[in-house]
Amino acid sequence: MFEQGIYELLGEGIVETLYMTIVSTAFAYIFGLPLGVLLCVTDKDGIFPIPIINKVLGFIINLLRSVPFLILLVFILPFTRMIVGTTIGSTATIVPLVVASTPFVARMVESSLKEVDSGVIEAAQSMGSSVFKIIYKVLIPEAKPSLLMGAAIAITTILGYSAMAGFVGGGGLGAIAVNYGYYRYQQDVMTVTVLLLVIVVQIFQEVGTRIARLSDRRAK
Amino acid sequence: MIRLRHLTKTFETSQGNLEVLKGISLDINEGEIFGIIGLSGAGKSTLIRCINFLEKPTDGEIIFDGMNMGDLSRKELLKVRQSMGMIFQSFNLLAQRTALKNILYPLEIANVPKEEAMDRARELLELVGLSDKANAYPSQLSGGQQQRVAIARALATNPKVLLCDEVTSALDPNTTSSILQLLQNINHTFGVTIVMITHEMKVIEQICTQVAVIDGGNIIETGNVKDVFLRPQSEIAKQLILPKGSEIHNMTGKRCLRLIFDGNSAFEPIISNMALECRAVVNILYANTKCIDNKAFGEMLLQLPDDDISIERILAYLDNREIYYKEEELHV
């Protein structure tokens, strides 16, 4: 259907998209998970209330989340160059992806942890658990199914963002769609790229949902 | 074992300050099963949470095992909590852990070596009669079984005190009885002091040795169960202990029951037992019974109380005893 080069291009696109998405999600969780825990724990009804930290952190997160991704990407270009030395390509896209999705991940983690039954937390406290032990022995394991569902949503959202970055010099399937579909009017390439994006998102979502369901011991 | 002195607790709410405990003093001795009974909103949940400092009292002292809880550092408090088990109305098991691993939890917190913890957890599962459910998740267990796991978990670190927060309120009567039985056995076998808050009379009746009646954030009455039950002094205690308005009871019920005795044991005090068990008063309007060969023959006409639930209980009781009866309308 296409000339030889296109297939290779699409293959590379998929690899680049997966690379951006997975690495960004990993970093988003490295930063976002502790932040989400901090948000949950320091809440006024949390297990270690520190309202000041909670409010300041909440404010910064809301601030970052209110900037649309494409604008954020352009806005932090100097920062991106500082970190990875360039503003073009997949690796460069990872920086804004992480900056944009960390606050989002933090909020998802916070809401998952807040679903944990307060009675169970109280029981853990009554047994003399420290705050730290409640976090890693109660909050996170009890919220695991919800955290995994959240991760599936996060990874698909980040994949969507990564495609957007194609407009401003990012790599992956998004860039192919923009360069061939938008600038060169190659509707067929565009269609295939969109299809590939849909398939990747479906796979991530479905796998995530399944793992989450399998890990849930509540309803049997 | 536990001494409470002038304990007060005030919550700050958007509608102003809410004084939940208004100066509570209590002494709970070692080995007792101490019941605290009150209607909902009386402050009993807050009171029991003050004992292990899940709620920090606004004022007053809690002396546990010679230590003033208010003077402990955070670290010391966590350590002391390991010698106070607690169980709850809603069981509060970790949903993502099996029964066995739930019991392991407090042992992990107490840094008990793995092997030793495992042995202890299995031993406790056996104690509560659930050895076969070691690998079941809470969602696969009934309410009573979940509460048994919770009891095993609370006992894992050999606590001196077991705090029970309405532990039978979510259970049916039979399960309630068996859970209470288990708690009583634990008290007898290990000498664990049990503090139990409840709104149910039968819980106090069945296992408690001491009782305190709490109302409006104050202890109204306290003493051993027999004394308080025989001679309740306060209005609220009477309300909790005696069925509604049963001191002078004017029978107004229109329904009657004719009991036919055709050879039941004459030694069984059927009417008294019925009144006690059903907590209902009946009026004997007429009776003609004979005792032949230690068997009772004859009939008796009873006026029933004017509430359908009591009547249902009475009928169920009679059915259970296989006593034949007919319902009649009272014509006065």
Side-chain angles (χ1 to χ4, degrees):
Chain A
M1 183 164 95
F2 300 120
E3 48 199 287
Q4 191 56 44
I6 295 285
Y7 289 108
E8 273 164 35
L9 198 72
L10 285 171
E12 262 168 46
I14 290 182
V15 173
E16 275 179 24
T17 292
L18 290 178
Y19 161 69
M20 282 189 290
T21 307
I22 291 167
V23 174
S24 301
T25 308
F27 274 107
Y29 269 88
I30 288 172
F31 301 121
L33 188 70
L35 288 175
V37 169
L38 201 60
L39 276 174
C40 170
V41 168
T42 58
D43 187 80
K44 65 181 195 319
D45 300 319
I47 52 173
F48 200 77
I50 316 174
I52 286 290
I53 290 193
N54 193 269
K55 289 223 173 75
V56 171
L57 192 61
F59 178 75
I60 296 172
I61 283 173
N62 287 347
L63 202 77
L64 280 171
R65 292 201 58 201
S66 48
V67 184
F69 174 66
L70 270 187
I71 293 169
L72 182 89
L73 188 151
V74 177
F75 184 66
I76 64 164
L77 280 178
F79 176 71
T80 307
R81 185 173 293 119
M82 204 178 81
I83 302 275
V84 291
T86 173
T87 59
I88 309 276
S90 303
T91 306
T93 312
I94 289 173
V95 177
L97 277 178
V98 172
V99 174
S101 50
T102 295
F104 167 72
V105 166
R107 283 289 185 214
M108 299 263 275
V109 168
E110 180 197 15
S111 90
S112 292
L113 296 183
K114 280 190 172 164
E115 283 168 27
V116 175
D117 182 1
S118 60
V120 175
I121 296 167
E122 194 180 34
Q125 288 173 321
S126 79
M127 289 181 268
S129 321
S130 61
V131 171
F132 189 59
K133 285 200 169 157
I134 292 179
I135 291 169
Y136 83 92
K137 278 184 180 288
V138 180
L139 282 179
I140 293 177
E142 287 292 295
K144 199 166 89 187
S146 170
L147 286 170
L148 287 168
M149 281 300 281
I153 296 173
I155 201 165
T156 51
T157 306
I158 290 170
L159 192 134
Y161 282 176
S162 84
M164 252 187 254
F167 265 104
V168 276
L173 290 174
I176 297 173
V178 170
N179 293 334
Y180 289 80
Y182 185 70
Y183 291 122
R184 296 193 203 166
Y185 305 107
Q186 277 185 266
Q187 192 61 43
D188 48 356
V189 179
M190 177 74 126
T191 309
V192 174
T193 337
V194 169
L195 271 175
L196 285 174
L197 281 170
V198 169
I199 291 169
V200 176
V201 168
Q202 292 291 343
I203 290 173
F204 276 133
Q205 187 63 58
E206 189 56 30
V207 169
T209 311
R210 278 207 191 168
I211 296 175
R213 204 181 303 139
L214 279 177
S215 77
D216 197 349
R217 309 297 184 180
R218 281 169 298 183
K220 273 275 143 32
Chain B
M1 173 67 43
I2 301 171
R3 217 147 33 112
L4 309 183
R5 287 291 172 269
H6 316 293
L7 201 66
T8 63
K9 175 73 188 178
T10 308
F11 287 106
E12 284 165 33
T13 67
S14 50
Q15 276 95 42
N17 286 348
L18 190 66
E19 206 180 356
V20 179
L21 301 177
K22 299 174 184 162
I24 286 193
S25 297
L26 270 184
D27 286 290
I28 299 169
N29 297 316
E30 197 169 343
E32 277 179 351
I33 303 185
F34 197 106
I36 299 169
I37 187 166
L39 302 169
S40 47
K44 47 192 193 317
S45 279
T46 309
L47 176 59
I48 201 161
R49 277 165 180 72
C50 280
I51 295 179
N52 61 2
F53 259 59
L54 280 180
E55 292 285 1
K56 202 168 175 294
T58 310
D59 209 354
E61 280 186 343
I62 294 161
I63 316 285
F64 166 68
D65 209 15
M67 289 170 289
N68 189 333
M69 297 284 287
D71 293 345
L72 300 176
S73 69
R74 210 184 141 74
K75 239 190 170 148
E76 288 167 328
L77 176 65
L78 294 182
K79 193 86 194 145
V80 167
R81 279 189 188 154
Q82 292 174 10
S83 52
M84 303 170 117
M86 188 165 187
I87 51 176
F88 304 84
Q89 176 172 4
S90 49
F91 326 128
N92 294 348
L93 296 177
L94 294 149
Q96 306 288 345
R97 283 184 177 226
T98 61
L100 187 73
K101 287 196 173 142
N102 263 284
I103 303 173
L104 284 172
Y105 178 85
L107 299 165
E108 288 166 18
I109 297 297
N111 291 320
V112 176
K114 257 200 173 130
E115 297 259 312
E116 196 185 322
M118 205 59 161
D119 291 344
R120 175 84 183 129
R122 291 204 181 279
E123 181 188 313
L124 284 159
L125 261 183
E126 199 176 319
L127 174 79
V128 299
L130 288 175
S131 298
D132 56 328
K133 298 284 183 194
N135 296 317
Y137 286 93
S139 61
Q140 298 163 324
L141 299 173
S142 70
Q145 289 171 330
Q146 288 189 53
Q147 196 60 292
R148 282 168 184 274
V149 175
I151 291 171
R153 182 175 70 172
L155 290 175
T157 48
N158 286 310
K160 295 176 180 150
V161 174
L162 191 56
L163 304 172
C164 307
D165 179 15
E166 294 273 7
V167 293
T168 58
S169 302
L171 304 172
D172 65 59
N174 285 336
T175 317
T176 295
S177 276
S178 75
I179 291 290
L180 293 176
Q181 192 92 58
L182 176 65
L183 289 173
Q184 196 167 38
N185 288 345
I186 286 163
N187 170 264
H188 289 329
T189 326
F190 306 107
V192 181
T193 309
I194 295 180
V195 182
M196 196 154 215
I197 65 160
T198 182
H199 63 268
E200 293 171 302
M201 241 16 265
K202 59 174 190 282
V203 171
I204 307 278
E205 278 174 357
Q206 195 179 332
I207 66 166
C208 293
T209 50
Q210 300 291 119
V211 64
V213 181
I214 182 172
D215 187 44
N218 289 305
I219 297 289
I220 305 289
E221 220 171 305
T222 176
N224 69 55
V225 172
K226 212 167 62 191
D227 291 344
V228 174
F229 273 37
L230 284 177
R231 286 174 285 279
Q233 302 295 316
S234 57
E235 250 332 290
I236 189 78
K238 283 178 194 164
Q239 230 184 79
L240 282 163
I241 291 160
L242 304 166
K244 263 186 200 141
S246 68
E247 293 135 284
I248 308 156
H249 205 98
N250 280 323
M251 297 289 294
T252 52
K254 280 268 177 272
R255 289 166 74 179
C256 275
L257 218 53
R258 188 178 296 273
L259 304 190
I260 318 286
F261 297 103
D262 49 1
N264 312 71
S265 167
F267 290 110
E268 198 198 341
I270 290 194
I271 305 298
S272 320
N273 280 352
M274 182 178 82
L276 285 172
E277 201 160 302
C278 306
R279 288 173 197 289
V281 209
V282 293
N283 193 8
I284 302 176
L285 298 175
Y286 163 87
N288 182 13
T289 54
K290 280 193 184 78
C291 182
I292 302 166
D293 193 18
N294 284 340
K295 300 263 165 72
F297 291 91
E299 56 178 23
M300 193 181 275
L301 194 61
L302 299 179
Q303 183 186 7
L304 296 175
D306 197 13
D307 93 88
D308 292 340
I309 297 165
S310 300
I311 294 179
E312 234 167 83
R313 277 204 298 249
I314 289 172
L315 297 184
Y317 176 86
L318 293 172
D319 286 338
N320 209 355
R321 294 292 141 100
E322 294 181 336
I323 291 164
Y324 182 70
Y325 59 83
K326 277 195 303 213
E327 241 194 289
E328 290 178 14
E329 191 82 12
L330 181 64
H331 303 286
V332 195

